[in-house]
Amino acid sequence: MSANVLLVEHPAPHVVLLRINRPEALNALNAEVREAINTTLPRLDADPEVRCVVLAGSEKSFAAGADIKERAGMSAVDVMKMSTTRGIAVFSKPIIAAVNGFALGGGCEYALQCDIVVANDRARFGQPEIKLGLVPGAGGTQRLPRVVGKHNAMYMVLTGNMVSAQDALRMGLVCEVVEGNCDARAIELAAQIAAMAPLTARLIKEAVNSGADMALDAALRLETRAHQLAFATEDVREGIAAFIEKRQARFGGN
Ligand code: HXC
């Protein structure tokens, strides 16, 4: 496996930027890219130095979806044997998608698996699988309606039409739209999150994600436990002391 399809950059303290790097194919997600993401993210999850990750693509495309040429001629059994990208959805630390250009099919679904999505003004989001006779396979029929609502999601998955960055912002699929290139803004947000207490950030992420699939009563109990557990960290002492002493907190991750 070549490491070049996924570049690993260190743009700020405790921040890792993963850059999908197949610009000649608009970053289509072939087996090599999926495998690289699947093996890199668990390593970053286990590294206490890493507190926040940015997933980015190249200038023209975040990712144009599954590699259609790779899938041509595949049987249902071949597809069943294929590895799916579980790495993003199960990553325990905050992960930000920086979407420049196309986020289509699996690319849109990768963005949906991230925690925060920033986009540039030329970004285009879409689930064009139906145009190929395909059903989305990485959350397009499930995560997308939970984020943008049923009718916006149905519009995207049934027509295959792309939506602009501004429309994605209006739908809640994107948090911020940046003119030009959004990588710097994603890194800035990641650095801001990386300066927070990392164990607390993980507890918050878990409460939001797990709670979304629970009844409200159980979800609120999960939140209460996470709130209480955070009090066991040294970082809570530091955060409270820093407030009282009117200084910047220095969170050590303990
Ligand atoms: C393989 C792709 C590709 C893809 C683009 N390319 N998308 N190759 N798989 N998904 C290649 C093109 O073949 C071309 O290679 C080069 O990238 C540049 O693309 P162009 O089409 O020439 O660029 P442009 O005219 O600007 O059009 C951009 C585009 C179009 C609108 C994004 O490329 C497009 O519609 N792509 C397919 C998008 C798509 O349907 N994605 C969903 C895939 S299904 P050459 O060699 O000809 O120069 C999916 C299922 C997910 O994602 C399942 C779960 C993982």
Side-chain angles (χ1 to χ4, degrees), residues 24-26 28 60 64-69 71 102 104-106 109 128-129 132 134 136-138 162:
E24 72 288 353
L26 298 180
K60 203 179 158 197
D67 190 312
I68 298 168
K69 293 166 192 168
R71 298 207 178 182
F102 297 112
L104 304 177
E109 291 167 316
E129 287 89 340
L132 301 165
L134 280 175
M162 294 186 220

Side-chain angles (χ1 to χ4, degrees), residues 6-189:
L6 188 71
L7 306 178
V8 181
E9 304 170 15
H10 298 86
H14 304 299
V15 174
V16 169
L17 184 145
L18 296 181
R19 189 179 296 289
I20 303 168
N21 184 40
R22 295 188 71 214
E24 72 288 353
L26 298 180
N27 289 337
L29 305 164
N30 64 2
E32 210 181 342
V33 175
R34 291 199 311 276
E35 185 60 23
I37 291 174
N38 280 341
T39 54
T40 305
L41 281 177
R43 184 168 59 70
L44 301 180
D45 226 356
D47 181 349
E49 281 303 304
V50 178
R51 295 185 179 183
C52 192
V53 168
V54 174
L55 182 65
S58 35
E59 192 67 38
K60 203 179 158 197
S61 181
F62 175 71
D67 190 312
I68 298 168
K69 293 166 192 168
E70 186 182 70
R71 298 207 178 182
M74 273 192 181
S75 70
V77 170
D78 293 332
V79 174
M80 286 169 76
K81 286 179 181 169
M82 230 171 48
S83 74
T84 53
T85 311
R86 288 280 295 149
I88 303 169
V90 299
F91 191 60
S92 77
K93 300 173 185 179
I95 178 164
I96 300 174
V99 176
N100 293 296
F102 297 112
L104 304 177
C108 187
E109 291 167 316
Y110 277 18
L112 283 163
Q113 290 176 37
C114 292
D115 302 313
I116 295 174
V117 182
V118 296
N120 76 343
D121 51 338
R122 290 190 301 278
R124 295 283 178 276
F125 293 81
Q127 298 289 161
E129 287 89 340
I130 193 165
K131 293 182 177 173
L132 301 165
L134 280 175
V135 176
T141 67
Q142 302 305 314
R143 287 194 186 90
L144 185 63
R146 284 166 169 77
V147 171
V148 303
K150 173 182 160 178
H151 292 154
N152 285 322
M154 286 292 197
Y155 170 82
M156 290 174 72
V157 294
L158 290 178
T159 67
N161 287 350
M162 294 186 220
V163 300
S164 67
Q166 284 304 332
D167 283 341
L169 183 68
R170 177 181 55 74
M171 290 177 186
L173 178 51
V174 160
C175 310
E176 284 186 23
V177 177
V178 173
E179 277 198 34
N181 186 301
C182 68
D183 289 356
R185 179 59 183 149
I187 292 164
E188 192 174 47
L189 287 171

